[in-house]
């Protein structure tokens, strides 16, 4: 079939929205009609050429929500009409990691996905007979996409697509960092560095876990106000003095749980320093630049602080994204403040500009 899609042709150039060809889903694959898709830093990071593992031509986008149109052979868990959220982090339910509750890092299709292929090593997208690669296994800056069944979470049809798509990446990452990775205990103190989509999700996750005190740190007063709306009890201006302020607010000890959601290694260090001696757990969600390292005084660890990393919030996507969406539908999370701009696919580059200007939390592409 023919469809419109935003293609990364050349690194550092705007995406080119154009018609491309999409082949039928093969065994284990599903054709999804997209209804909404968030524009994320990772798309821009790849488009800019800064990501050394990036490839082109490719259809970008990975924060999609839509409806199953048709399914290939051997697809058992999805049927036409199902509402789905795309998962750049799949869940095969069979590999050694899927069978272990300690991690969500499914091993089933990693290698081919990293190359921009579907699991059988080929692409479904093409142009003039030449393959166009799939980005993060998703390619959701497009009217339709073909994805593996194991990379789609079936969610309630009651969730509006523009909110459902937020669960495809940053929101679930932040929520999961607090709920899964840190498993925040009720009554505890938390400090979240960064109030973008991931940090705000972590603030909401700490609140859902019953944290008593949630300190949010950011450079932007507007973003800190959004954090208050998600349950932050104390707002702290980022930069010099932020760690001291957190220590003051926590009786001189530091927070029981800290979260880093900026991608800045200096802030990761602050998040370790702001964790309480004895049992403070620092969860790192931000993605640092290639080659950057985290510099921590070992004494901080000897005295009981721990550091954990979290990819997609430790969320096993097919099992847990539907449950998170249900909590949103039950009124436990307010997503309206996160959708700052609604764009047409043709305006995708505007979404990048808005992100660079830090204008709002998420621009969402809506497909008519
Ligand atoms: N682990 C994962 O699976 C996963 C998934 C999605 C995103 N991420 C990463 O998470 C990070 C955050 O993503 P996002 O979409 O929320 O980004 P974002 O840019 O919207 O938010 C980052 C926030 O950090 C704030 N900040 C910058 N310097 C600061 C400082 N010194 N102190 C306090 N706050 C500071 C910024 O003002 C901004 O509000 C990125 O590194 C992203 O790549 C990781
Ligand atoms: Zn993303
Ligand atoms: Zn697996």
């Amino acid at each position: 079939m023919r469809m419109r899609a935003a293609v990364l042709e050349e690194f550092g150039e705007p995406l080119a929205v154009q018609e491309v060809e999409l082949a039928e889903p093969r065994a284990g694959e599903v054709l999804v009609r997209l209804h909404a898709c968030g524009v994320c830093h990772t798309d821009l990071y790849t488009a800019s050429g800064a990501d050394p593992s990036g490839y082109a031509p490719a259809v970008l986008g990975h924060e999609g929500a839509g409806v199953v149109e048709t399914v290939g052979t051997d697809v058992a868990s999805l049927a036409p009409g199902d509402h789905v959220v795309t998962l750049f982090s799949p869940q095969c339910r069979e590999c050694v990691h899927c069978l272990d509750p300690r991690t969500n890092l499914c091993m089933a299709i990693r290698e081919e996905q990293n190359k921009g292929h579907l699991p059988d090593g080929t692409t479904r997208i093409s142009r003039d007979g030449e393959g166009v690669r799939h980005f993060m296994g998703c390619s959701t800056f497009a009217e339709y996409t073909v994805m593996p069944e194991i990379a789609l979470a079936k969610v309630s049809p009651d969730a509006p697509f523009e909110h459902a798509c937020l669960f495809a990446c940053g929101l679930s990452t932040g929520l999961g960092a607090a709920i899964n990775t840190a498993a925040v205990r009720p009554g505890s103190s938390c400090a979240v560095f960064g109030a973008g989509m991931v940090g705000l999700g972590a603030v909401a996750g700490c609140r859902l876990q019953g944290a008593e005190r949630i300190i949010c740190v950011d450079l932007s007063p507007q973003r800190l106000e959004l954090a208050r709306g998600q349950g932050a009890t104390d707002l702290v201006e980022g930069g010099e003095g932020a760690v001291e302020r957190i220590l003051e607010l926590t009786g001189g000890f530091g927070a029981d749980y800290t979260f880093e959601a900026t991608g800045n290694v200096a802030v990761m260090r602050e998040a370790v320093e702001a964790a309480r001696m004895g049992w403070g757990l620092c969860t790192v969600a931000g993605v640092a630049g290639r080659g950057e390292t985290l510099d921590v005084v070992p004494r901080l660890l000897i005295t009981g602080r721990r550091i954990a990393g979290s990819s997609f919030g430790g969320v096993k996507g097919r099992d847990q994204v539907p449950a998170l969406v249900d909590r949103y539908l039950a009124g436990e999370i307010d997503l309206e403040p996160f959708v700052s701009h609604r764009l047409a696919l043709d305006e995708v580059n505007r979404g990048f500009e808005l992100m660079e200007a830090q204008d709002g939390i998420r621009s969402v592409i809506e497909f008519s």
Side-chain angles (χ1 to χ4, degrees):
M1 65 187 283
R2 305 280 294 169
M3 66 162 184
R4 288 178 66 71
V7 181
L8 169 65
E9 304 271 12
E10 299 261 358
F11 296 112
E13 296 290 322
L15 303 185
V17 180
Q18 58 192 271
E19 283 219 330
V20 297
E21 196 70 35
L22 184 68
E24 293 288 309
R26 295 186 186 170
E29 298 173 357
V30 175
L31 174 67
V32 177
R33 179 177 179 175
L34 275 318
H35 285 252
C37 178
V39 180
C40 175
H41 292 89
T42 312
D43 300 302
L44 178 59
Y45 181 59
T46 296
S48 70
D51 177 5
S53 59
Y55 38 78
V59 173
L60 297 189
H62 63 283
E63 300 190 355
V67 177
V68 172
E69 190 93 349
T70 60
V71 300
T73 53
D74 304 334
V75 171
S77 66
L78 291 169
D82 284 344
H83 288 217
V84 290
V85 166
T86 62
L87 301 170
F88 67 84
S89 180
Q91 184 191 357
C92 76
R93 294 180 172 148
E94 287 169 6
C95 75
V96 62
H97 284 173
C98 280
L99 293 174
D100 194 304
R102 291 174 294 186
T103 181
N104 64 335
L105 298 177
C106 176
M107 307 296 287
I109 60 174
R110 285 196 148 223
E111 254 174 61
E112 291 302 336
Q113 178 171 323
N114 289 341
K115 287 190 241 167
H117 298 149
L118 290 187
D120 74 353
T122 64
T123 72
R124 297 296 155 274
I125 316 169
S126 64
R127 189 176 50 186
D128 307 325
E130 259 187 71
V132 174
R133 290 202 257 182
H134 298 246
F135 178 64
M136 292 172 81
C138 296
S139 286
T140 47
F141 287 166
E143 292 172 313
Y144 294 85
T145 187
V146 170
M147 289 181 61
E149 172 187 24
I150 63 167
L152 292 166
K154 179 178 167 179
V155 300
S156 167
D158 296 336
F161 295 108
E162 64 171 16
H163 288 165
C165 73
L166 303 176
F167 288 92
C169 182
L171 176 62
S172 294
T173 298
L175 288 167
I179 297 171
N180 296 329
T181 311
V184 168
R185 292 196 198 178
S188 49
S189 57
C190 301
V192 178
F193 289 79
M197 188 77 256
V198 176
L200 292 168
V203 168
C206 291
R207 171 177 52 81
L208 293 176
Q209 291 291 106
E212 186 177 299
R213 183 149 220 177
I214 305 171
I215 304 163
C216 188
V217 189
D218 201 289
L219 304 174
S220 151
Q222 293 90 332
R223 290 193 160 201
L224 286 176
E225 274 315 312
L226 290 176
R228 192 190 292 287
Q230 296 301 323
T233 56
D234 299 86
L235 308 178
V236 171
E237 190 186 332
E240 223 174 299
V243 173
E244 284 69 28
R245 185 75 190 115
I246 293 168
L247 295 181
E248 271 170 35
L249 288 168
T250 50
F253 279 114
D256 298 323
Y257 302 92
T258 65
F259 297 88
E260 183 283 330
T262 70
N264 179 327
V265 291
V267 178
M268 292 178 192
R269 176 181 173 155
E270 290 177 23
V272 178
E273 292 170 349
R276 194 195 192 286
M277 73 179 291
W279 58 72
L281 175 63
C282 170
T283 300
V284 174
V287 177
R290 178 155 292 221
E292 290 186 315
T293 58
L294 172 56
D295 186 13
V296 171
V297 180
R299 180 183 48 80
L300 293 173
L301 306 181
I302 297 283
T303 48
R305 294 166 194 80
R306 292 170 300 142
I307 307 173
S310 186
S311 172
F312 194 49
V315 169
K316 290 182 186 279
R318 290 161 81 199
D319 292 344
Q320 292 179 323
V321 164
L324 290 174
V325 170
D326 287 346
R327 295 189 79 168
Y328 147 68
L329 286 172
E332 293 189 67
I333 317 164
D334 177 16
L335 299 184
E336 197 50 45
F338 295 154
V339 182
S340 9
H341 302 274
R342 293 166 177 82
L343 306 173
L345 179 60
D346 286 288
E347 300 171 297
V348 59
N349 293 301
R350 168 103 181 107
F352 285 158
E353 286 164 21
L354 289 165
M355 197 159 57
E356 283 184 302
Q358 238 196 45
D359 183 334
I361 297 297
R362 266 295 178 277
S363 296
V364 172
I365 295 173
E366 294 187 307
F367 301 87
S368 43

